[in-house]
Amino acid sequence: MLLHELYREALASHPDKIAVVCGPDRCSFRELEESSVSYARALLSIGVGRSELVGIFSRNSLDVVRLYLACFRIGAIAVPISCLIRAPEVAYEVAHSGLRVLLASAELASEVRGLRETVPTLERFLVINGPVETAEEDWQAVVRGAAAPLPPVVVEESDPALILYTSGSTDRPKGVTHTHASMTQLAINRCSTFRHTADHIFLATGQVCHAAALGVALFPMWLAGGVSVFMPDWNVEEWLEMINCLRPTHAAFFPSQLAELLARPETRTVGYDSLEYCAVGGDVAARELQERFREITGHELSLTLGMTECGGYITTSPFDRSKSGSLGKPIHGFQVRLLGPDGCDVPPDTPGEIAVKSGSVMSGYWNNPDATDRVFMNGWMLTGDIARRDNDGYYYFVGRIKEMIIRDAGNIGPGEVENAICEHPAVRRCGVIGLPDLRHGQAVHAFVELKKDCCPLPTVQELTLFASRMLAERKVPEFWTIIDELPCTAAGKVDRKALRLLAC
């Protein structure tokens, strides 16, 4: 099955049923089908064909969903770019992927207007919906002008469908490449685990430019014929209104959102009886948040573990009993192993690195075969996460091999932040670590070694302002320490262990 065929049964049996809700906007399966065909014609009219990459830079909207489907129909590869990142980060992903075509929402277009001058491969820059300025094209005008019938296009299950950029621990973001087959299998895995039906309504708080919202809400609900509900941006009042009005059966959010939600007194004024499953993912939620959620809503909060490279692979489903502190069990369609340093399976209650195998695992990292080779071992994908398993088959999160910082459910590579800060003319070297943060998961702490001859010395406020011009807001360090000499390992790398001791 191809991704644009996921909802074919729903289209045949109840075409006028609502398929996707985004804020005040909603779209039926019939409308989704017709509009995505129009968008596919428009892509073909500007020269986009099979295996061509299409960048999408936008917050949640029905237009983004239509663009995904349009790409899938003609065998193009959708490259969603996080709406939370800044122009230098966007430029890297556009250049690294080799994008020729970029569509941006009107409110984000100003962030990337200079890209065509800095990234030679970028040929077309279209504004999805809104005012258009010089050197930009109006996407809706292209759609209106593309009247030719949609020709038959051969698309294979093994064809790449999505490239999702995710930050690594020490280097630049990597493009996780998913095929039609891998993302379809992810939808099948979820539907089997949660026994999704056309009566289910999934309320997701993430952006559809990220893997979580696609993998837990959009694709599984298409397959089941249910309803995917998204918010343009996270907002407590809107979330509570959706609980009241839409009566979702399933919901998922991130620890920072959960903390904000539970801190608000109005959270106690709505009913949660429609919910069958509530999950928090992206990072481990504090025990007190789980207990407060249970006390307010009457529901257990399911933890979930996953990654862009394969989707969610462990959770406590509505049909399993929960265990305090446990992540749960593997999702249907996943095999999970815990490996010791020797690469062999560890016994129960012994920490080991999680390795997974599933048809939903990525095909590899885009234009990065070395990184791909490093995460695969005899058909198993190494996650870099450490867990233990009890005798009942329940998994418990222990920690991460990687030095990744997880903030607001997003990955932040320390090296990425360090490189940006080192662009400052007064900075000689920089080391970045994550510190525990109850609300956001982790806080970013930067240790900065300044050049000896720089004058005047930059203040923390100046460094913060400089970093904010280079990085997404969540990647800008909250804490700064000016240090005489940065601790390094024998290999000359930043000694993050030493930095953590200094931060204590």
Side-chain angles (χ1 to χ4, degrees):
M1 191 184 299
L2 304 172
L3 284 172
H4 58 280
E5 297 173 338
L6 282 176
Y7 59 81
R8 63 187 176 191
E9 289 189 17
L11 184 65
S13 61
H14 44 263
D16 295 316
K17 181 177 183 290
I18 294 300
V20 183
V21 175
C22 186
D25 302 321
R26 52 200 61 205
C27 186
S28 70
F29 286 104
R30 187 198 306 274
E31 292 165 336
L32 198 58
E33 177 80 357
E34 292 172 351
S35 60
S36 64
V37 168
S38 297
Y39 277 35
R41 287 200 301 258
L43 288 176
L44 288 172
S45 75
I46 62 173
V48 174
R50 185 180 179 186
S51 301
E52 289 277 355
L53 277 63
V54 178
I56 305 169
F57 185 45
S58 173
R59 289 186 173 86
N60 284 347
S61 73
L62 293 182
D63 280 318
V64 174
V65 177
R66 295 176 181 123
L67 280 166
Y68 278 139
L69 274 171
C71 289
F72 302 154
R73 287 184 180 282
I74 63 174
I77 306 169
V79 186
I81 296 172
S82 173
C83 58
L84 305 177
I85 65 176
R86 297 290 185 262
E89 300 164 290
V90 176
Y92 169 77
E93 293 183 12
V94 170
H96 180 268
S97 62
L99 278 174
R100 292 194 309 108
V101 177
L102 177 65
L103 293 100
S105 58
E107 75 274 12
L108 294 179
S110 59
E111 181 73 31
V112 291
R113 284 209 168 98
L115 275 182
R116 292 179 68 184
E117 287 72 43
T118 58
V119 184
T121 57
L122 186 62
E123 299 173 7
R124 309 289 289 264
F125 179 33
L126 302 99
V127 177
I128 297 172
N129 205 341
V132 177
E133 296 196 3
T134 306
E136 298 171 355
E137 299 177 71
D138 183 349
W139 169 247
Q140 296 303 326
V142 174
V143 174
R144 291 191 296 270
L150 190 65
V153 180
V154 176
V155 183
E156 304 287 347
E157 291 183 349
S158 58
D159 286 350
L162 284 160
I163 299 175
L164 301 159
Y165 275 85
T166 183
S167 292
S169 58
T170 58
D171 53 8
R172 294 274 206 165
K174 296 188 286 290
V176 175
T177 308
H178 277 287
T179 64
H180 284 263
S182 65
M183 294 308 281
T184 295
Q185 185 61 54
L186 180 58
I188 293 170
N189 292 347
R190 303 286 303 188
C191 286
S192 297
T193 300
F194 298 98
R195 304 176 194 174
H196 282 315
T197 71
D199 294 327
H200 284 168
I201 301 171
F202 204 120
L203 171 55
T205 58
Q207 293 285 332
V208 291
C209 56
H210 297 147
L214 293 171
V216 305
L218 190 64
F219 296 155
M221 287 297 98
W222 280 355
L223 184 60
V227 184
S228 309
V229 182
F230 302 101
M231 304 164 64
D233 289 295
W234 163 249
N235 179 282
V236 170
E237 289 79 10
E238 184 178 347
W239 191 88
L240 292 172
E241 182 180 350
M242 286 180 165
I243 290 290
N244 262 338
C245 298
L246 298 177
R247 309 289 291 158
T249 56
H250 295 67
F253 26 58
F254 305 129
S256 57
Q257 297 169 339
L258 179 64
E260 183 182 357
L261 177 71
L262 297 178
R264 302 285 283 272
E266 57 265 41
T267 302
R268 299 178 179 271
T269 65
V270 302
Y272 301 92
D273 55 296
S274 66
L275 289 172
E276 300 175 13
Y277 172 80
C278 304
V280 61
D283 200 6
V284 178
R287 183 69 59 84
E288 66 179 84
L289 291 180
Q290 299 176 49
E291 293 172 352
R292 202 181 315 158
F293 184 84
R294 184 189 310 112
E295 186 263 322
I296 291 174
T297 70
H299 291 276
E300 290 291 337
L301 185 67
S302 292
L303 306 183
T304 185
L305 190 62
M307 56 196 304
T308 302
E309 285 85 344
C310 63
Y313 56 87
I314 293 176
T315 193
T316 301
S317 83
F319 311 104
D320 287 327
R321 69 181 179 93
S322 62
K323 274 194 173 187
S324 178
S326 170
L327 296 166
K329 294 182 176 181
I331 285 174
H332 175 87
F334 276 95
Q335 299 177 61
V336 177
R337 298 171 65 190
L338 298 181
L339 305 178
D342 58 359
C344 297
D345 295 272
V346 299
D349 284 322
T350 304
E353 181 179 5
I354 302 172
V356 300
K357 181 185 286 189
S358 173
S360 67
V361 171
M362 67 171 183
S363 59
Y365 293 115
W366 186 256
N367 289 337
N368 199 338
D370 291 340
T372 302
D373 290 343
R374 286 195 294 270
V375 299
F376 285 103
M377 184 187 72
N378 299 324
W380 292 82
M381 190 186 76
L382 304 174
T383 67
D385 289 329
I386 303 173
R388 63 178 179 84
R389 180 182 56 246
D390 67 17
N391 286 316
D392 295 326
Y394 284 77
Y395 287 77
Y396 299 78
F397 185 75
V398 174
R400 293 183 176 88
I401 292 176
K402 304 171 184 176
E403 296 291 346
M404 188 110 51
I405 299 169
I406 311 293
R407 181 174 176 82
D408 290 340
N411 295 345
I412 302 174
E416 185 183 0
V417 180
E418 291 161 359
N419 290 338
I421 295 171
C422 285
E423 290 290 321
H424 192 286
V427 174
R428 179 169 181 262
R429 289 188 300 181
C430 176
V432 169
I433 60 171
L435 299 177
D437 184 287
L438 178 62
R439 178 164 185 163
H440 298 284
Q442 286 184 290
V444 182
H445 189 151
F447 291 80
V448 177
E449 179 184 336
L450 299 173
K451 295 176 181 176
K452 303 300 182 186
D453 57 350
C454 68
C455 186
L457 297 176
T459 64
V460 166
Q461 290 76 13
E462 290 170 3
L463 291 171
T464 301
L465 180 61
F466 180 84
S468 67
R469 295 182 183 132
M470 304 284 289
L471 298 165
E473 182 180 355
R474 67 185 182 85
K475 299 178 184 178
V476 177
E478 285 187 78
F479 302 101
W480 297 80
T481 300
I482 307 299
I483 192 168
D484 290 336
E485 185 174 354
L486 201 68
C488 293
T489 66
K493 297 181 179 180
V494 174
D495 188 342
R496 302 189 200 282
K497 190 176 294 186
L499 291 181
R500 288 192 181 88
L501 292 174
L502 289 173
C504 293

Short mmCIF file of all heavy atoms in Angstrom, two decimals, residues 405-439:
data_model
loop_
_atom_site.label_atom_id
_atom_site.label_comp_id
_atom_site.label_asym_id
_atom_site.label_seq_id
_atom_site.Cartn_x
_atom_site.Cartn_y
_atom_site.Cartn_z
N ILE A 405 20.51 16.37 23.75
CA ILE A 405 19.69 17.12 24.69
C ILE A 405 18.26 17.05 24.18
O ILE A 405 17.99 17.32 23.01
CB ILE A 405 20.15 18.59 24.78
CG1 ILE A 405 21.61 18.67 25.26
CG2 ILE A 405 19.23 19.39 25.70
CD1 ILE A 405 22.22 20.05 25.12
N ILE A 406 17.32 16.64 25.04
CA ILE A 406 15.92 16.54 24.66
C ILE A 406 15.17 17.66 25.37
O ILE A 406 15.03 17.65 26.59
CB ILE A 406 15.30 15.18 25.03
CG1 ILE A 406 16.20 14.04 24.55
CG2 ILE A 406 13.91 15.06 24.48
CD1 ILE A 406 16.30 13.92 23.06
N ARG A 407 14.70 18.62 24.61
CA ARG A 407 13.97 19.75 25.18
C ARG A 407 12.65 19.92 24.44
O ARG A 407 12.63 19.99 23.21
CB ARG A 407 14.79 21.03 25.10
CG ARG A 407 14.08 22.26 25.70
CD ARG A 407 15.00 23.47 25.71
NE ARG A 407 14.31 24.66 26.18
CZ ARG A 407 14.12 24.97 27.47
NH1 ARG A 407 14.58 24.14 28.40
NH2 ARG A 407 13.48 26.05 27.82
N ASP A 408 11.56 20.00 25.17
CA ASP A 408 10.23 20.12 24.57
C ASP A 408 10.02 19.07 23.49
O ASP A 408 9.47 19.34 22.42
CB ASP A 408 10.03 21.52 23.99
CG ASP A 408 9.91 22.58 25.07
OD1 ASP A 408 9.60 22.19 26.22
OD2 ASP A 408 10.15 23.76 24.80
N ALA A 409 10.49 17.85 23.78
CA ALA A 409 10.30 16.68 22.92
C ALA A 409 11.10 16.75 21.63
O ALA A 409 10.95 15.90 20.76
CB ALA A 409 8.83 16.47 22.60
N GLY A 410 11.97 17.74 21.48
CA GLY A 410 12.79 17.84 20.28
C GLY A 410 14.25 17.57 20.59
O GLY A 410 14.74 17.85 21.69
N ASN A 411 14.95 17.01 19.62
CA ASN A 411 16.38 16.73 19.78
C ASN A 411 17.19 17.99 19.54
O ASN A 411 16.96 18.73 18.58
CB ASN A 411 16.82 15.67 18.78
CG ASN A 411 16.17 14.33 19.04
OD1 ASN A 411 15.61 14.11 20.09
ND2 ASN A 411 16.25 13.45 18.07
N ILE A 412 18.18 18.21 20.40
CA ILE A 412 19.13 19.30 20.22
C ILE A 412 20.52 18.70 20.27
O ILE A 412 20.93 18.13 21.29
CB ILE A 412 18.99 20.38 21.31
CG1 ILE A 412 17.57 20.96 21.33
CG2 ILE A 412 20.01 21.49 21.11
CD1 ILE A 412 17.31 21.92 22.48
N GLY A 413 21.25 18.79 19.17
CA GLY A 413 22.62 18.31 19.15
C GLY A 413 23.54 19.33 19.79
O GLY A 413 23.59 20.48 19.36
N PRO A 414 24.29 18.95 20.86
CA PRO A 414 25.21 19.90 21.48
C PRO A 414 26.16 20.53 20.47
O PRO A 414 26.45 21.73 20.53
CB PRO A 414 25.96 19.05 22.50
CG PRO A 414 25.03 17.94 22.82
CD PRO A 414 24.29 17.65 21.54
N GLY A 415 26.66 19.72 19.53
CA GLY A 415 27.59 20.25 18.54
C GLY A 415 26.98 21.32 17.68
O GLY A 415 27.65 22.29 17.27
N GLU A 416 25.70 21.18 17.39
CA GLU A 416 24.99 22.18 16.59
C GLU A 416 24.96 23.53 17.30
O GLU A 416 25.20 24.59 16.69
CB GLU A 416 23.57 21.66 16.35
CG GLU A 416 22.71 22.49 15.45
CD GLU A 416 21.29 21.93 15.32
OE1 GLU A 416 21.00 20.89 15.94
OE2 GLU A 416 20.49 22.55 14.61
N VAL A 417 24.67 23.51 18.61
CA VAL A 417 24.64 24.74 19.40
C VAL A 417 26.04 25.31 19.55
O VAL A 417 26.26 26.52 19.44
CB VAL A 417 23.99 24.49 20.77
CG1 VAL A 417 23.94 25.77 21.60
CG2 VAL A 417 22.59 23.91 20.60
N GLU A 418 27.00 24.42 19.79
CA GLU A 418 28.39 24.87 19.95
C GLU A 418 28.91 25.57 18.70
O GLU A 418 29.57 26.61 18.77
CB GLU A 418 29.28 23.67 20.30
CG GLU A 418 29.01 23.11 21.68
CD GLU A 418 29.53 21.69 21.86
OE1 GLU A 418 30.09 21.11 20.90
OE2 GLU A 418 29.37 21.14 22.97
N ASN A 419 28.61 24.99 17.55
CA ASN A 419 29.07 25.58 16.29
C ASN A 419 28.50 26.98 16.08
O ASN A 419 29.20 27.89 15.59
CB ASN A 419 28.69 24.68 15.11
CG ASN A 419 29.47 23.40 15.08
OD1 ASN A 419 30.55 23.30 15.66
ND2 ASN A 419 28.93 22.39 14.42
N ALA A 420 27.23 27.16 16.44
CA ALA A 420 26.60 28.47 16.28
C ALA A 420 27.24 29.50 17.21
O ALA A 420 27.55 30.62 16.80
CB ALA A 420 25.10 28.36 16.57
N ILE A 421 27.47 29.12 18.47
CA ILE A 421 28.06 30.05 19.43
C ILE A 421 29.49 30.41 19.04
O ILE A 421 29.95 31.55 19.20
CB ILE A 421 28.00 29.46 20.86
CG1 ILE A 421 26.54 29.32 21.30
CG2 ILE A 421 28.79 30.31 21.85
CD1 ILE A 421 26.35 28.56 22.59
N CYS A 422 30.21 29.43 18.49
CA CYS A 422 31.61 29.67 18.10
C CYS A 422 31.74 30.61 16.91
O CYS A 422 32.84 31.04 16.57
CB CYS A 422 32.31 28.35 17.81
SG CYS A 422 32.73 27.42 19.30
N GLU A 423 30.61 30.94 16.26
CA GLU A 423 30.64 31.94 15.19
C GLU A 423 30.87 33.34 15.75
O GLU A 423 31.26 34.25 15.02
CB GLU A 423 29.32 31.90 14.42
CG GLU A 423 29.11 30.66 13.57
CD GLU A 423 30.03 30.62 12.37
OE1 GLU A 423 30.27 31.68 11.77
OE2 GLU A 423 30.53 29.53 12.05
N HIS A 424 30.62 33.51 17.05
CA HIS A 424 30.83 34.82 17.67
C HIS A 424 32.33 35.14 17.65
O HIS A 424 33.15 34.30 18.01
CB HIS A 424 30.31 34.83 19.11
CG HIS A 424 30.23 36.20 19.71
ND1 HIS A 424 31.35 36.90 20.11
CD2 HIS A 424 29.17 37.00 19.97
CE1 HIS A 424 30.99 38.07 20.61
NE2 HIS A 424 29.65 38.15 20.54
N PRO A 425 32.71 36.33 17.22
CA PRO A 425 34.14 36.65 17.06
C PRO A 425 34.95 36.61 18.35
O PRO A 425 36.18 36.47 18.31
CB PRO A 425 34.12 38.07 16.48
CG PRO A 425 32.76 38.61 16.77
CD PRO A 425 31.85 37.43 16.76
N ALA A 426 34.28 36.67 19.51
CA ALA A 426 35.01 36.66 20.78
C ALA A 426 35.13 35.27 21.39
O ALA A 426 35.83 35.10 22.40
CB ALA A 426 34.33 37.60 21.78
N VAL A 427 34.48 34.28 20.80
CA VAL A 427 34.45 32.94 21.38
C VAL A 427 35.56 32.07 20.78
O VAL A 427 35.66 31.95 19.56
CB VAL A 427 33.08 32.27 21.16
CG1 VAL A 427 33.10 30.82 21.64
CG2 VAL A 427 31.98 33.05 21.90
N ARG A 428 36.36 31.46 21.66
CA ARG A 428 37.42 30.54 21.20
C ARG A 428 36.87 29.13 21.10
O ARG A 428 37.01 28.45 20.09
CB ARG A 428 38.60 30.58 22.16
CG ARG A 428 39.73 29.63 21.76
CD ARG A 428 41.00 29.87 22.56
NE ARG A 428 42.06 28.95 22.13
CZ ARG A 428 42.36 27.82 22.74
NH1 ARG A 428 41.71 27.46 23.84
NH2 ARG A 428 43.32 27.05 22.29
N ARG A 429 36.25 28.66 22.17
CA ARG A 429 35.66 27.31 22.18
C ARG A 429 34.41 27.32 23.04
O ARG A 429 34.20 28.22 23.85
CB ARG A 429 36.66 26.28 22.73
CG ARG A 429 37.81 25.97 21.79
CD ARG A 429 38.65 24.81 22.29
NE ARG A 429 39.25 25.06 23.60
CZ ARG A 429 40.03 24.20 24.25
NH1 ARG A 429 40.29 23.03 23.70
NH2 ARG A 429 40.54 24.50 25.43
N CYS A 430 33.58 26.29 22.84
CA CYS A 430 32.32 26.22 23.57
C CYS A 430 31.96 24.77 23.82
O CYS A 430 32.22 23.90 22.97
CB CYS A 430 31.22 26.93 22.77
SG CYS A 430 29.58 26.81 23.50
N GLY A 431 31.37 24.49 24.96
CA GLY A 431 30.85 23.16 25.27
C GLY A 431 29.43 23.28 25.79
O GLY A 431 29.14 24.16 26.60
N VAL A 432 28.55 22.42 25.33
CA VAL A 432 27.14 22.50 25.68
C VAL A 432 26.65 21.18 26.26
O VAL A 432 26.98 20.11 25.74
CB VAL A 432 26.29 22.88 24.44
CG1 VAL A 432 24.81 22.70 24.71
CG2 VAL A 432 26.59 24.32 24.01
N ILE A 433 25.88 21.26 27.33
CA ILE A 433 25.29 20.07 27.96
C ILE A 433 23.82 20.35 28.26
O ILE A 433 23.37 21.49 28.21
CB ILE A 433 26.01 19.66 29.26
CG1 ILE A 433 25.94 20.81 30.29
CG2 ILE A 433 27.45 19.26 28.99
CD1 ILE A 433 26.42 20.43 31.67
N GLY A 434 23.08 19.29 28.57
CA GLY A 434 21.71 19.43 29.01
C GLY A 434 21.60 19.20 30.50
O GLY A 434 22.26 18.32 31.06
N LEU A 435 20.77 19.99 31.15
CA LEU A 435 20.51 19.84 32.57
C LEU A 435 19.05 19.49 32.79
O LEU A 435 18.18 19.91 32.01
CB LEU A 435 20.83 21.15 33.31
CG LEU A 435 22.27 21.65 33.24
CD1 LEU A 435 22.38 22.99 33.96
CD2 LEU A 435 23.22 20.64 33.86
N PRO A 436 18.71 18.71 33.83
CA PRO A 436 17.32 18.35 34.06
C PRO A 436 16.43 19.58 34.24
O PRO A 436 16.82 20.56 34.91
CB PRO A 436 17.38 17.52 35.36
CG PRO A 436 18.79 17.03 35.43
CD PRO A 436 19.63 18.11 34.81
N ASP A 437 15.28 19.55 33.64
CA ASP A 437 14.31 20.64 33.75
C ASP A 437 12.92 20.02 33.80
O ASP A 437 12.51 19.34 32.87
CB ASP A 437 14.44 21.57 32.53
CG ASP A 437 13.53 22.78 32.64
OD1 ASP A 437 12.30 22.60 32.47
OD2 ASP A 437 14.01 23.90 32.87
N LEU A 438 12.21 20.24 34.89
CA LEU A 438 10.92 19.58 35.11
C LEU A 438 9.92 19.92 34.03
O LEU A 438 9.17 19.07 33.57
CB LEU A 438 10.35 19.99 36.48
CG LEU A 438 8.98 19.42 36.84
CD1 LEU A 438 9.03 17.90 36.89
CD2 LEU A 438 8.50 19.99 38.17
N ARG A 439 9.93 21.15 33.57
CA ARG A 439 8.91 21.58 32.61
C ARG A 439 9.27 21.21 31.17
O ARG A 439 8.42 20.76 30.40
CB ARG A 439 8.71 23.09 32.71
CG ARG A 439 7.70 23.62 31.73
CD ARG A 439 7.24 25.00 32.10
NE ARG A 439 6.19 25.45 31.21
CZ ARG A 439 5.38 26.45 31.47
NH1 ARG A 439 5.48 27.08 32.61
NH2 ARG A 439 4.47 26.83 30.59
#
